[in-house]
Amino acid sequence: MKRFPAFDPPEYVDWKADPALVRRFRETIEHSPERAALVSRLSSDDKLGLYAGLLRARLHDIQLQRWVRTGVISKAWLGTGEEATTVGPVHALERGKDIVAPMIRNAAACCELGMPLADMLRAYLGSDDAPSRGRDLHVGSFSHGVLQPISHVGDMVPVICGIALTFKMKGERRVALTWVGDGATKTAAAHEGTNFAAVQRVPAIFVIQNNQVALGTRLDQHHLAGNFKDWPASYGMWRAAFDGNNVLDAWAATRLATERCREGEGPAMLIAETFRMGGHATHDEREARETFSVELFNTWGKRDPIGLYEEYLKEEGRTAQQLEAVEAEVTAAVEQAAEQAVASRETMPAGESARFGVYARNGR
Ligand SMILES: Cc1ncc(C[n+]2csc(CCOP(=O)(O)OP(=O)(O)O)c2C)c(N)n1
Ligand SMILES: [Mg+2]
């Protein structure tokens, strides 16, 4: 993909594929016969759809960075380097049926489930036609099956657990999924919700998104409890791990978990290892660079989820022109969405409207 020296992490700017890592990308999937079988049934369009999803996530974030740099907004929360951990799982779900609760790092869940990109961008601008009508930049769309994140990390776990419980009680073959950051695993809400899901055997999937950091606190400063892979067993929950920078592995692991959930076999915890290739948000990029070593950024920088997947697709026979055509389409869509969203600033919400829509009418 086109790289953006002004916005990309420096490790991505002159990104070159490391053959050993490309090989490992493929081996990761082939290592598991179950996952390999699922991936072998993906059509060429499905695979390009995952590619488009990764690009949409990255270009959405680059658009936000452009707005920060030009003073349109003051800051933005990005998912750079972690796109596969969001896009893979979402594509494994059934649109219009399953429910997800993204955290701020998983905004791409919205567009991948069909929410217009312009609405996602409007949320940042706080315009009157933004999803929450200017109240909150956390973005979701219930009609697309995406809950708006609660700012308090960990709190989506009991919410998703409750939704999954209704699926179970109604006998619906639907799945509810949320992501839980390494930091969020330390909250009481995440623990209570996870345990409840386990004992009630609800069709919920919890993706532990270990990006090695919580705001400015490194994993080793907040986590002494060993490998996250050991956690699901302590809840008695089925588990699997996936490579958080490998969109096919993420997709296949989640698809297996959804099959279990739909069969009534209870919840799943998926452990994803990845890395935040920047700050918590755009305001603390420098602090992030001081939090981790140059070597660590270099190591993860070589594992750009988009670069590696492009190499895989080329090995599969997709031509550079085919990939460029997908990229051109996604680029045009993001640019158009940004123009539409900026035009919405003509209609900012009236101050007094902050009082409205707080309580449901008639107590409902
Ligand atoms: C309960 C709670 N405590 C603190 C915060 C402030 N806060 C926002 S994001 C964040 C870091 C969360 O880290 P993690 O769960 O690892 O997610 P990441 O940002 O790395 O994706 C913190 C501490 C919050 N939103 N909610
Ligand atoms: Mg984290």
Side-chain angles (χ1 to χ4, degrees), residues 77-78 82 103-106 138 150-155 179-189 209-217 219 222 276 279-281:
W77 288 260
L78 310 174
E82 302 180 52
M103 295 308 292
I104 200 96
R105 214 66 69 200
N106 316 107
H138 292 95
I150 300 171
S151 173
H152 304 73
V153 299
D155 278 10
W179 293 260
V180 189
D182 50 286
T185 60
K186 307 302 176 301
T187 61
Q209 183 162 356
N210 180 14
N211 63 0
Q212 322 297 328
V213 65
L215 231 161
T217 308
L219 184 72
H222 74 74
R276 195 185 73 190
H280 176 67

